[in-house]
Amino acid sequence: MTKQNQMHFETRAIHAGAEPDPVTGACGTPIHQAAAFQFKSTQHAANAFALKERAFIYSRLTNPTVSALEEKMTALEGGVGATCTPSGLAANLLIFSALMSPNADFVSSCKIYGGSVGQFRDTFSRAFGWQCHFVDPTDPENFERAITENTRLLFAESISNPEGVVSDLEALGKIAEKNHIPLIIDNTVATPYLCRPFEYGASLVTHSTTKYLSGHGNAMGGVVIDGGTFDWMKHADKYPALGKEVASYNNMIFGESFEDCPVAMHNHAVGLRDLGLNQQPMNAYLTMLGIQTLPLRMEQHCKNALKVAEYLKNHPAVSWVNYTGLKDSPSYALARKYMKNGYSSSLFSFGLKAGYDAAVRLVENVRLFTHLANLGDTRSLIIHPASTTHAQLSEQQKINAGALPDAIRVSIGLENIEDLIADLDQALETAQTLAA
Ligand SMILES: *Cc1c(COP(=O)(O)O)cnc(C)c1O
């Protein structure tokens, strides 16, 4: 670890994992567009394959550009190791494949990204037999009540997408510890700038780096970060991938041989090797470029979002605004406790008095906001979930997911606040007429 890794967050965002290239002196991390790496000798090759020596072999397992991003993410979250994946959902698959087994179950917050809900509820159970119990996270005791003797992990988002529900991380950490199971926190919406879940008892952190981390809407990616605190050897029967012999590596036990970062080692040597979930170097490069300005961007995202939310709250055509940064939000107190400066990121929803048609009309009438399904871009984004991202859900599922007929979801970007409000002002005029 370089000395910059112990410095302040802004310094780590720029310098961690970003030593100048030792061969050329190149100051920006090079894009190592290579499938495989030459060995120095037959002994070097044998040691590399037996994991006796850390070396680059083949980019499905490790790649120097992707490794640099892994080091940066480890430093930003305060973990011991990380593994990058091609998307956020691939990060879920990678870590679940290490911890779950057929007919084991896990407990997840029901207030999570819709794509994760589908993955957990449908594909994980059908293809792998991993059963998910969804619980309402606003009472942490719901997690405890759903735990069975087959439960292998707890899962929640620090700030939920899209509703902004903040998890009571300390309470969840205690429940996980008491029940000897790891707590996984998806920290995508908060980013490590606002919240570092390891400080509150999470064992593992995941991200979709596609969002605020890469930050410019131009690179897909995911990452799993190992907090290094969970004792896999003590619970080897429940977590054989980490606590028992692995036949394909000379019966090595990852929890013993790599005490410092067993999960990250296993995720590379077994997970990426067997599932093929490696991130591309170009995406790692773009993500590192984005992360350098993460602190500045998050400050502005949060400040702009609060101003837009306050403006909407006072607008006569708007019936409700659900932004965690507003004092009347149910998660306001938890955001003050767990998020830097009580910030709440820049994703939120609001409703129009004139309902579904007015909501669709608003999306048609904005000029500066971009109409697309993403978040955490420099650009301000807008979408009507009920007719798009959540259209395939039943009416009840839509309500559970916060995709009400009149709801509009926005991700507030970094444009000038006056321009954003002027755009909403002109677009809301139609909605106002419809409401009258
Ligand atoms: C987008 C998102 C994901 C999925 O990430 P992809 O990169 O789209 O696969 C997971 N969790 C949260 C909170 C997200 O917003």
Side-chain angles (χ1 to χ4, degrees):
M1 200 188 264
T2 58
K3 65 178 183 306
Q4 285 95 337
N5 289 12
Q6 276 106 46
M7 293 184 181
H8 290 91
F9 190 91
E10 293 79 359
T11 310
R12 279 180 275 149
I14 295 167
H15 289 282
E19 290 290 302
D21 182 61
V23 177
T24 61
C27 151
T29 306
I31 302 166
H32 291 280
Q33 197 63 41
F37 303 86
Q38 187 180 31
F39 300 114
K40 297 185 190 100
S41 64
T42 50
Q43 189 59 49
H44 178 228
N47 286 347
F49 274 97
L51 303 182
K52 285 183 187 149
E53 202 176 320
R54 299 230 183 155
F56 297 107
I57 300 175
Y58 187 60
S59 282
R60 174 151 38 78
L61 288 90
T62 46
N63 169 284
T65 312
V66 180
S67 290
L69 173 57
E70 287 164 347
E71 190 179 336
K72 200 182 270 302
M73 286 309 302
T74 302
L76 292 187
E77 285 289 1
V80 297
T83 315
C84 287
T85 55
S87 68
L89 286 193
N92 290 350
L93 174 58
L94 181 70
I95 187 58
F96 278 60
S97 76
L99 306 182
M100 298 297 295
S101 50
N103 303 317
D105 62 52
F106 63 103
V107 183
S108 171
S109 162
C110 66
K111 303 289 184 193
I112 57 172
Y113 170 63
S116 301
V117 172
Q119 183 187 47
F120 291 176
R121 187 193 52 204
D122 305 330
T123 299
F124 279 5
S125 64
R126 178 183 52 74
F128 307 124
W130 306 336
Q131 301 303 329
C132 180
H133 304 299
F134 285 106
V135 296
D136 180 347
T138 50
D139 180 3
E141 295 300 317
N142 288 338
F143 282 82
E144 178 117 53
R145 282 190 277 270
I147 291 171
T148 73
E149 58 184 23
N150 288 323
T151 301
R152 295 291 182 269
L153 61 92
L154 306 182
F155 185 95
E157 292 178 1
S158 45
I159 302 181
S160 79
N161 172 2
E163 282 182 272
V165 174
V166 177
S167 292
D168 190 343
L169 298 172
E170 239 163 43
L172 294 185
K174 287 203 181 101
I175 292 167
E177 189 180 8
K178 188 174 138 204
N179 290 280
H180 313 295
I181 46 181
L183 170 65
I184 303 181
I185 294 295
D186 178 337
N187 202 28
T188 300
V189 177
T191 82
Y193 181 67
L194 298 191
C195 176
R196 285 174 297 279
F198 293 141
E199 292 169 8
Y200 304 107
S203 307
L204 296 150
V205 167
T206 58
H207 282 279
S208 165
T209 62
T210 315
K211 315 295 169 53
Y212 295 98
L213 287 167
S214 79
H216 299 72
N218 57 4
M220 297 282 307
V223 64
V224 179
I225 303 133
D226 179 4
T229 48
F230 193 85
D231 191 345
W232 308 102
M233 293 310 297
K234 202 166 156 193
H235 307 288
D237 286 336
K238 276 203 286 189
Y239 305 103
L242 297 157
K244 294 272 172 80
E245 295 85 1
V246 173
S248 62
Y249 282 107
N250 286 327
N251 289 331
M252 178 183 271
I253 299 173
F254 277 77
E256 234 169 45
S257 297
F258 304 105
E259 247 183 321
D260 294 345
C261 59
V263 178
M265 279 306 292
H266 187 276
N267 276 346
H268 281 280
V270 179
L272 296 188
R273 183 196 63 181
D274 293 353
L275 298 172
L277 298 172
N278 54 300
Q279 185 172 120
Q280 297 304 319
M282 181 71 188
N283 285 340
Y285 171 83
L286 288 170
T287 303
M288 280 187 280
L289 196 60
I291 291 175
Q292 293 185 48
T293 55
L294 178 72
L296 292 170
R297 287 188 290 105
M298 286 312 285
E299 283 287 329
Q300 201 59 35
H301 275 300
C302 296
K303 286 177 183 159
N304 275 0
L306 182 59
K307 286 190 188 141
V308 172
E310 281 168 347
Y311 156 80
L312 288 169
K313 209 170 160 53
N314 294 318
H315 196 286
V318 173
S319 49
W320 55 271
V321 179
N322 177 20
Y323 180 54
T324 304
L326 294 174
K327 283 205 177 63
D328 60 358
S329 153
S331 280
Y332 181 79
L334 287 173
R336 293 227 60 94
K337 178 168 179 185
Y338 294 117
M339 304 294 149
K340 183 185 176 85
N341 299 339
Y343 283 150
S344 307
S345 203
S346 78
L347 175 72
F348 68 92
S349 302
F350 61 96
L352 295 181
K353 286 180 187 153
Y356 188 100
D357 291 337
V360 172
R361 201 79 70 86
L362 177 71
V363 173
E364 274 166 8
N365 286 347
V366 287
R367 295 177 193 143
L368 180 57
F369 278 71
T370 308
H371 179 203
L372 56 73
N374 193 15
L375 63 105
D377 195 320
T378 50
R379 301 159 193 82
S380 290
L381 314 175
I382 191 164
I383 199 157
H384 177 232
S387 64
T388 57
T389 52
H390 293 68
Q392 305 307 322
L393 300 183
S394 70
E395 288 313 308
Q396 189 56 46
Q397 283 171 330
K398 280 184 196 159
I399 291 166
N400 291 348
L404 305 167
D406 62 336
I408 305 267
R409 191 185 90 171
V410 287
S411 167
I412 303 300
L414 306 179
E415 300 93 338
N416 183 285
I417 187 66
E418 287 176 21
D419 294 335
L420 290 175
I421 288 177
D423 189 36
L424 288 171
D425 228 25
Q426 64 82 20
L428 278 165
E429 228 164 84
T430 328
Q432 211 170 342
T433 330
L434 286 174

